[in-house]
Amino acid sequence: MVHTHPRAQPPRSPVSAGQRNGEFKNLVNGEWIESKTGACFDNINPADTSDVVGRFQASSAEDAHEAVRAASAAFETWKRTPISARARILHHAAEYLEDHASRFAEELTREQGKSLNLSKDEFLRSAQTLRFYAVEGQSLTGETFPNDDPDMTVYTQREPLGVVSIITPWNFPVSIPARKIAPALITGNTVVFKPSSDAPLSGYRLAEALVEAGLPKGVLNFITGSAADVGAAITEPAVIRAVSFTGSTAAGEHIHRSVAFTTRTQMELGGKNPLIVMEDADLDKAVDLAIKGGLSLAGQACTGTSRVLVMASIKAEFTAKLVTKVKALKIGAGLTSGMDMGPLATAKQLETVKRYIEYGKREATLLCGGEHLSGGIYDRGYYVSPAIFADVTQEMRIAREEIFGPVIAIIEVSGYADAISKANDTEYGLSAAIVTSNPRYINDFAQDIQSGTVKINRTTTGNLINAPFGGLKQSSTSTFRESGRTGLEFYTQTKTVYRGC
Ligand code: NAP
């Protein structure tokens, strides 16, 4: 006798159709496909360069044009898809990310270098972002305008823009894409998404989550490849109605200048973020804020603390405490528990950080760190010890230029006015913090500092999902903020309707 069993449902698996033998495909028009170039590039683990995390499509402009065409073709239907159906897809994608957060976190750590805990938090935060926009996007409204004609109603209505391009960096390879893609989709836009070539896998997982959640074909298109090969094709055609970009100021400025006249941009760019330590500060707290803000993610956060402006009267004590704590930090792979700082994310990052450490040694006084670490596990990855420089003055390169690494410059200041003047003496304006309990300083700081994010007794890093985020000066374009309810505005345009009977 033959026993038959109903075929068990396969478990929901993170092995998607776009992934085979370590090779990950593009997603174009709902199909996981290879690039027409037939070439791939490697995604390398910065903690162990012998570990190839995955191979990704080295796409060409032709692949990118196809992705733009697919997004364009999908727009009219997606725009008309009921908003509750769009929201349901975001909720399901969030669930998928949550279900697989542990495994995806390990991949994120392997491709980027941050600790496993931070990677898991990033996936869970991304899921939360999808859920936030699933709800918030459903209550985006227009306005009505009183007028003298009893037979007329005047109101604004919002509508999606069309095809939007989303281009993201490697330091938050899933949470930055999530905070752009979710508001774009819930408002009815279709998307071409290009992740960083240095950490494309976490972005791939986000695309996979949306496909698994039932996103119709062409609504999200995911392509990998170098900026040189696909950049212009996903930013310059006029059919692209908006570009949301996070990355370096140089690349952001280039894209902002090269898009069509009718293309909207949102540029989240570099920073040179100050932490001011006033004479009344709790010094242990100030030291912790400097370390957390400056060295977590190995200094590779756009809002990371890179300048610490300290009152002359407490400088010696603050500096001694900071150096003692920094010397005790444990540096190692993100997959190893108990490490305080991981490797730099790429070989290019390593070279840049080493170059700035050399500038610093010539310009200022190196108090500790700044070594390219070697021996044991260090030989396998891009490790440097965190560098603290003292006697830094305003004109020095380490005080002016974004380093994006574990390098803290200590600048002496003589009083509040001097601190504000030096803190503002930069082309950037992303995040700034002050440590004080003086209500006068607290009140004035929020007004005086030229920065899009202002922190009082908190680190320069970190921002809420539900609050606006963005910089001033060359840290952003003066267009639209990201995150929170404001993040929806970038992806919609307004019509004013005059309705008579
Ligand atoms: P990046 O070199 O500017 O690259 C960012 C992304 O843009 C990558 O996907 C890159 O592709 C792409 N890209 C570069 N040039 C392009 C072009 N001309 N056209 C289209 N795409 C282009 O920056 P990164 O090294 O990845 O990230 C570090 C920078 O990001 C730092 O300056 C940091 O401050 C900034 N950042 C800012 C924020 C913020 O919210 N303000 C947040 C995080 C990071 P490839 O990878 O293929 O080169």
Side-chain angles (χ1 to χ4, degrees):
M1 193 175 159
V2 178
H3 293 277
T4 56
H5 301 278
R7 194 158 165 226
Q9 283 293 316
R12 288 175 59 188
S13 158
V15 179
S16 74
Q19 164 187 2
R20 196 152 165 225
N21 300 330
E23 185 179 320
F24 294 83
K25 296 180 185 165
N26 288 337
L27 174 69
V28 178
N29 203 24
E31 304 286 330
W32 293 104
I33 57 170
E34 288 168 6
S35 160
K36 293 185 174 31
T37 62
C40 284
F41 65 90
D42 289 344
N43 180 14
I44 300 288
N45 180 346
D48 177 356
T49 56
S50 65
D51 176 23
V52 177
V53 183
R55 289 188 313 284
F56 286 80
Q57 306 303 310
S59 307
S60 62
E62 204 186 331
D63 296 310
H65 290 313
E66 201 180 320
V68 173
R69 278 197 296 276
S72 201
F75 175 60
E76 283 303 323
T77 306
W78 181 242
K79 173 184 162 180
R80 287 179 169 73
T81 301
I83 193 159
S84 60
R86 300 202 294 253
R88 208 161 37 242
I89 290 170
L90 292 187
H91 279 301
H92 285 156
E95 198 181 323
Y96 186 85
L97 294 182
E98 287 158 354
D99 285 353
H100 299 299
S102 297
R103 175 179 166 148
F104 293 170
E106 196 176 314
E107 292 175 345
L108 198 167
T109 293
R110 280 174 63 214
E111 73 171 345
Q112 200 278 337
K114 67 181 70 173
S115 75
L116 218 37
N117 286 344
L118 290 177
S119 295
K120 189 156 182 195
D121 283 352
E122 191 176 331
F123 266 100
L124 296 179
R125 180 186 168 89
S126 303
Q128 207 187 338
T129 301
L130 299 187
R131 291 191 192 285
F132 171 81
Y133 281 113
V135 174
E136 195 69 33
Q138 293 190 66
S139 56
L140 191 66
T141 56
E143 289 177 283
T144 55
F145 300 89
N147 71 86
D148 289 348
D149 184 343
D151 292 332
M152 184 171 71
T153 310
V154 181
Y155 60 94
T156 54
Q157 68 182 35
R158 288 180 179 274
E159 59 180 30
L161 302 175
V163 179
V164 304
S165 281
I166 286 173
I167 303 171
T168 54
W170 44 261
N171 64 340
F172 291 99
V174 63
S175 63
I176 291 178
R179 80 177 181 220
K180 295 174 187 288
I181 291 172
L185 293 180
I186 193 67
T187 46
N189 299 278
T190 54
V191 173
V192 176
F193 165 37
K194 189 198 106 57
S196 164
S197 301
D198 290 309
L201 179 51
S202 301
Y204 172 96
R205 293 301 184 202
L206 177 59
E208 174 186 301
L210 286 158
V211 169
E212 293 286 319
L215 197 70
K217 67 176 191 173
V219 173
L220 173 72
N221 302 275
F222 167 88
I223 56 161
T224 53
S226 78
D229 292 331
V230 301
I234 59 168
T235 53
E236 294 179 11
V239 66
I240 292 156
R241 299 294 320 285
V243 179
S244 181
F245 170 89
T246 297
S248 60
T249 295
E253 185 176 355
H254 169 82
I255 295 169
H256 183 62
R257 288 182 193 282
S258 57
V259 299
F261 177 58
T262 47
T263 299
R264 229 175 234 198
T265 67
Q266 177 182 57
M267 301 279 149
E268 295 306 336
L269 310 172
K272 191 71 190 167
N273 312 295
L275 171 78
I276 297 176
V277 185
M278 297 305 295
E279 65 282 348
D280 66 322
D282 170 339
L283 289 191
D284 290 316
K285 179 172 188 162
V287 164
D288 287 345
L289 294 178
I291 291 176
K292 197 165 172 227
L295 304 178
S296 51
L297 277 195
Q300 301 168 119
C302 54
T303 50
T305 304
S306 65
R307 298 179 291 150
V308 181
L309 298 105
V310 194
M311 291 298 141
S313 57
I314 50 155
K315 192 184 81 177
E317 194 185 346
F318 170 84
T319 305
K321 281 176 182 276
L322 178 67
V323 168
T324 304
K325 277 209 164 176
V326 168
K327 280 183 174 169
L329 295 178
K330 293 197 203 84
I331 300 158
L335 290 178
T336 310
S337 64
M339 293 298 115
D340 298 303
M341 201 182 96
L344 295 170
T346 64
K348 189 171 155 217
Q349 276 294 106
L350 177 65
E351 287 318 307
T352 305
V353 169
K354 279 167 60 183
R355 192 168 67 249
Y356 275 100
I357 287 168
E358 286 312 308
Y359 296 148
K361 282 181 185 167
R362 273 182 253 141
E363 296 174 321
T365 308
L366 178 64
L367 298 179
C368 67
E371 298 140 318
H372 181 181
L373 298 173
S374 58
I377 61 135
Y378 296 140
D379 286 339
R380 293 195 231 142
Y382 308 131
Y383 293 96
V384 293
S385 54
I388 308 294
F389 285 100
D391 304 321
V392 178
T393 53
Q394 288 303 99
E395 70 287 354
M396 293 178 184
R397 292 187 76 159
I398 59 167
R400 306 206 72 79
E401 296 172 19
E402 184 183 48
I403 302 171
F404 219 55
V407 180
I408 293 177
I410 298 177
I411 299 171
E412 181 181 306
V413 289
S414 58
Y416 174 79
D418 188 33
I420 288 293
S421 153
K422 286 179 173 151
N424 283 339
D425 178 22
T426 167
E427 65 197 28
Y428 296 108
L430 192 54
S431 183
I434 191 167
V435 197
T436 183
S437 51
N438 183 329
R440 166 57 60 200
Y441 295 147
I442 290 173
N443 188 55
D444 290 353
F445 181 66
Q447 297 179 49
D448 296 338
I449 195 72
Q450 295 165 356
S451 175
T453 302
V454 179
K455 300 284 195 85
I456 292 142
N457 296 320
R458 307 287 299 183
T459 57
T460 54
T461 48
N463 57 292
L464 286 179
I465 284 169
N466 58 353
F469 174 72
L472 304 182
K473 295 152 88 176
Q474 292 194 28
S475 291
S476 280
T477 37
S478 294
T479 51
F480 295 84
R481 286 281 181 259
E482 282 198 326
S483 284
R485 191 177 173 77
T486 324
L488 294 161
E489 286 170 12
F490 177 70
Y491 297 100
T492 58
Q493 59 196 1
T494 306
K495 278 179 178 162
T496 308
V497 182
Y498 291 72
R499 196 176 81 195
C501 0

